[in-house]
Amino acid sequence: MAEFIYPNAQRIAGVDEVGRGPLVGAVVTAAVILDPANPIAGLADSKKLSEKRRLALYEEIKEKALAWSLGRAEPEEIDQLNILHATMLAMQRAVAGLHIAPDFVLVDGNRCPALPMPSQAVVKGDSLVQAISAASIIAKVTRDREMTELDLLFPQYGFAQHKGYPTALHMEKLTQHGATPHHRRSFAPVRNALIDADVLAARQPTTL
């Protein structure tokens, strides 16, 4: 990893999110405090790891970390707050869920949520800070599994394949089948699909 100058703190939590871009499901965040005495080799941005490697690291992080926690914001909260504020809320929940309180928090990206301890945003932090890399892995594996479960409930949408992101396949299925209760209604493609469905329904002749 490239050199990152760490703050002078004993217990540093790394925080990252997965799922800001998808049209469906929660935004999932994780907070991880690594154990300096129990290092984990091969930590990297979760998006740059193979699924097999990511799953192996996920288990190793859960086993070796001093503390880890998940936070989330559901589609309804995303629609009410907007995706940025919902992500900040989910990050607050992840940090609050740690059973060991960190004395400093490093957050992937360019802004931090309001927290009761000092924090710092780190651009490309999932590649620079091992605790953020660990958080990205925990969050991604968790959210991917949720999309696989959603795929079992709604097999016609292909959620296991595109993980809820607005791919051509997802857009096609959204047009064909409309939105599920798990879709984010404030996101334009979903909103447009709902409008199209309403227009189509209005055109249908009513039968007595």
Side-chain angles (χ1 to χ4, degrees):
M1 286 194 178
E3 191 65 32
F4 173 75
I5 300 169
Y6 281 85
N8 185 17
Q10 291 297 312
R11 293 184 304 277
I12 297 174
V15 175
D16 201 2
E17 56 74 26
V18 173
R20 281 178 66 162
L23 307 178
V24 69
V27 58
V28 176
T29 61
V32 177
I33 302 174
L34 292 175
D35 183 356
N38 211 356
I40 299 169
L43 288 172
D45 175 3
S46 63
K47 297 183 291 294
K48 295 175 181 172
L49 297 166
S50 69
E51 186 177 6
K52 183 180 178 183
R53 185 75 188 116
R54 203 161 48 231
L55 289 171
L57 283 167
Y58 171 83
E59 296 299 338
E60 192 174 355
I61 293 160
K62 289 202 302 178
E63 182 186 323
K64 290 184 174 179
L66 288 176
W68 65 274
S69 172
L70 288 163
R72 54 195 297 116
E74 301 300 337
E76 299 79 14
E77 293 176 306
I78 293 167
D79 291 339
Q80 287 166 11
L81 299 171
N82 79 35
I83 186 60
L84 174 62
H85 289 104
T87 301
M88 294 296 114
L89 176 62
M91 286 180 170
Q92 289 171 330
R93 288 169 173 168
V95 173
L98 290 166
H99 71 270
I100 298 172
D103 47 25
F104 205 100
V105 176
L106 296 173
V107 180
D108 184 56
N110 58 8
R111 66 176 69 204
C112 294
L115 294 168
M117 68 286 291
S119 62
Q120 177 186 337
V122 185
V123 175
K124 300 192 185 302
D126 46 11
S127 298
L128 295 171
V129 178
Q130 290 208 333
I132 297 179
S133 302
S136 79
I137 291 165
I138 293 286
K140 179 157 178 57
V141 170
T142 300
R143 193 177 191 284
D144 283 357
R145 285 177 174 174
E146 290 181 8
M147 287 297 102
T148 302
E149 289 168 10
L150 201 61
D151 189 71
L152 297 175
L153 293 173
F154 301 95
Q156 67 272 36
Y157 288 87
F159 291 134
Q161 186 176 335
H162 53 67
K163 305 296 190 288
Y165 284 89
T167 62
L169 174 66
H170 191 181
M171 300 307 295
E172 178 191 330
K173 300 301 184 184
L174 196 56
T175 304
Q176 276 181 354
H177 305 294
T180 71
H182 304 275
H183 274 92
R184 302 170 181 179
R185 277 145 173 72
S186 59
F187 281 40
V190 181
R191 196 166 62 239
N192 294 339
L194 290 167
I195 291 168
D196 291 345
D198 287 344
V199 169
L200 195 64
R203 288 180 184 160
Q204 297 296 324
T206 53
T207 54
L208 297 174

